[in-house]
PDB file of all heavy atoms in Angstrom:
ATOM      1  N   SER A 623       2.878 -95.411 -52.542  1.00 98.00           N
ATOM      2  CA  SER A 623       4.284 -95.120 -52.217  1.00 98.00           C
ATOM      3  C   SER A 623       4.876 -94.111 -53.206  1.00 98.00           C
ATOM      4  O   SER A 623       5.511 -93.130 -52.804  1.00 98.00           O
ATOM      5  CB  SER A 623       5.118 -96.405 -52.255  1.00 98.00           C
ATOM      6  OG  SER A 623       4.622 -97.366 -51.362  1.00 98.00           O
ATOM      7  N   PHE A 650       2.338 -95.439 -41.635  1.00 97.00           N
ATOM      8  CA  PHE A 650       2.650 -96.672 -42.341  1.00 97.00           C
ATOM      9  C   PHE A 650       4.098 -96.558 -42.837  1.00 97.00           C
ATOM     10  O   PHE A 650       4.469 -95.551 -43.442  1.00 97.00           O
ATOM     11  CB  PHE A 650       1.677 -96.835 -43.505  1.00 97.00           C
ATOM     12  CG  PHE A 650       1.737 -98.199 -44.134  1.00 97.00           C
ATOM     13  CD1 PHE A 650       1.094 -99.277 -43.548  1.00 97.00           C
ATOM     14  CD2 PHE A 650       2.428 -98.402 -45.316  1.00 97.00           C
ATOM     15  CE1 PHE A 650       1.154-100.533 -44.138  1.00 97.00           C
ATOM     16  CE2 PHE A 650       2.487 -99.657 -45.906  1.00 97.00           C
ATOM     17  CZ  PHE A 650       1.849-100.728 -45.310  1.00 97.00           C
ATOM     18  N   ASP A 653       5.490 -94.762 -46.132  1.00 98.00           N
ATOM     19  CA  ASP A 653       5.498 -93.301 -46.223  1.00 98.00           C
ATOM     20  C   ASP A 653       6.812 -92.740 -45.666  1.00 98.00           C
ATOM     21  O   ASP A 653       7.407 -91.822 -46.234  1.00 98.00           O
ATOM     22  CB  ASP A 653       4.302 -92.697 -45.466  1.00 98.00           C
ATOM     23  CG  ASP A 653       2.961 -93.108 -46.076  1.00 98.00           C
ATOM     24  OD1 ASP A 653       2.833 -94.264 -46.522  1.00 98.00           O
ATOM     25  OD2 ASP A 653       2.032 -92.282 -46.099  1.00 98.00           O
ATOM     26  N   ASP A 721      -2.214 -88.609 -45.901  1.00 98.00           N
ATOM     27  CA  ASP A 721      -2.397 -89.916 -46.543  1.00 98.00           C
ATOM     28  C   ASP A 721      -3.772 -90.448 -46.115  1.00 98.00           C
ATOM     29  O   ASP A 721      -4.045 -90.599 -44.917  1.00 98.00           O
ATOM     30  CB  ASP A 721      -1.269 -90.865 -46.108  1.00 98.00           C
ATOM     31  CG  ASP A 721      -1.281 -92.175 -46.909  1.00 98.00           C
ATOM     32  OD1 ASP A 721      -2.391 -92.615 -47.277  1.00 98.00           O
ATOM     33  OD2 ASP A 721      -0.199 -92.746 -47.138  1.00 98.00           O
ATOM     34  N   ALA A 723      -5.092 -93.419 -46.979  1.00 98.00           N
ATOM     35  CA  ALA A 723      -5.173 -94.853 -47.283  1.00 98.00           C
ATOM     36  C   ALA A 723      -6.327 -95.539 -46.541  1.00 98.00           C
ATOM     37  O   ALA A 723      -7.022 -96.381 -47.110  1.00 98.00           O
ATOM     38  CB  ALA A 723      -3.852 -95.534 -46.934  1.00 98.00           C
ATOM     39  N   HIS A 724      -6.527 -95.174 -45.282  1.00 98.00           N
ATOM     40  CA  HIS A 724      -7.587 -95.825 -44.493  1.00 98.00           C
ATOM     41  C   HIS A 724      -8.779 -94.903 -44.265  1.00 98.00           C
ATOM     42  O   HIS A 724      -9.559 -95.111 -43.345  1.00 98.00           O
ATOM     43  CB  HIS A 724      -7.004 -96.319 -43.165  1.00 98.00           C
ATOM     44  CG  HIS A 724      -6.001 -97.405 -43.357  1.00 98.00           C
ATOM     45  ND1 HIS A 724      -6.345 -98.719 -43.528  1.00 98.00           N
ATOM     46  CD2 HIS A 724      -4.645 -97.362 -43.479  1.00 98.00           C
ATOM     47  CE1 HIS A 724      -5.258 -99.445 -43.721  1.00 98.00           C
ATOM     48  NE2 HIS A 724      -4.212 -98.642 -43.709  1.00 98.00           N
ATOM     49  N   TYR A 746      -7.104 -99.851 -53.561  1.00 98.00           N
ATOM     50  CA  TYR A 746      -7.492-101.256 -53.320  1.00 98.00           C
ATOM     51  C   TYR A 746      -8.069-101.520 -51.937  1.00 98.00           C
ATOM     52  O   TYR A 746      -8.435-102.642 -51.644  1.00 98.00           O
ATOM     53  CB  TYR A 746      -6.318-102.189 -53.583  1.00 98.00           C
ATOM     54  CG  TYR A 746      -5.025-101.823 -52.863  1.00 98.00           C
ATOM     55  CD1 TYR A 746      -4.856-102.143 -51.530  1.00 98.00           C
ATOM     56  CD2 TYR A 746      -4.006-101.163 -53.519  1.00 98.00           C
ATOM     57  CE1 TYR A 746      -3.690-101.805 -50.858  1.00 98.00           C
ATOM     58  CE2 TYR A 746      -2.832-100.821 -52.870  1.00 98.00           C
ATOM     59  CZ  TYR A 746      -2.684-101.147 -51.527  1.00 98.00           C
ATOM     60  OH  TYR A 746      -1.536-100.807 -50.870  1.00 98.00           O
ATOM     61  N   LYS A 747      -8.092-100.511 -51.065  1.00 98.00           N
ATOM     62  CA  LYS A 747      -8.622-100.734 -49.709  1.00 98.00           C
ATOM     63  C   LYS A 747     -10.132-100.507 -49.736  1.00 98.00           C
ATOM     64  O   LYS A 747     -10.853-101.250 -50.380  1.00 98.00           O
ATOM     65  CB  LYS A 747      -7.859 -99.867 -48.712  1.00 98.00           C
ATOM     66  CG  LYS A 747      -6.399-100.333 -48.584  1.00 98.00           C
ATOM     67  CD  LYS A 747      -5.510 -99.433 -47.750  1.00 98.00           C
ATOM     68  CE  LYS A 747      -4.109-100.023 -47.675  1.00 98.00           C
ATOM     69  NZ  LYS A 747      -3.120 -99.087 -47.139  1.00 98.00           N
TER      70      LYS A 747
HETATM   71  C1  LIG B1734      -1.744 -99.333 -47.401  1.00 52.27           C
HETATM   72  C2  LIG B1734      -0.892 -98.127 -47.250  1.00 52.27           C
HETATM   73  C3  LIG B1734       0.094 -97.817 -48.195  1.00 52.27           C
HETATM   74  C4  LIG B1734       0.394 -98.769 -49.318  1.00 52.27           C
HETATM   75  O1  LIG B1734       1.234 -98.240 -50.268  1.00 52.27           O
HETATM   76  P1  LIG B1734       1.448 -99.027 -51.641  1.00 52.27           P
HETATM   77  O2  LIG B1734       2.366 -98.199 -52.397  1.00 52.27           O
HETATM   78  O3  LIG B1734       0.092 -99.189 -52.256  1.00 52.27           O
HETATM   79  O4  LIG B1734       1.980-100.385 -51.318  1.00 52.27           O
HETATM   80  C5  LIG B1734       0.803 -96.629 -48.046  1.00 52.27           C
HETATM   81  N1  LIG B1734       0.557 -95.804 -47.014  1.00 52.27           N
HETATM   82  C6  LIG B1734      -0.384 -96.083 -46.076  1.00 52.27           C
HETATM   83  C7  LIG B1734      -0.624 -95.128 -44.979  1.00 52.27           C
HETATM   84  C8  LIG B1734      -1.117 -97.263 -46.158  1.00 52.27           C
HETATM   85  O5  LIG B1734      -2.003 -97.560 -45.231  1.00 52.27           O
END
Side-chain angles (χ1 to χ4, degrees):
S623 302
F650 191 79
D653 296 37
D721 189 327
H724 294 278
Y746 52 79
K747 293 173 179 168

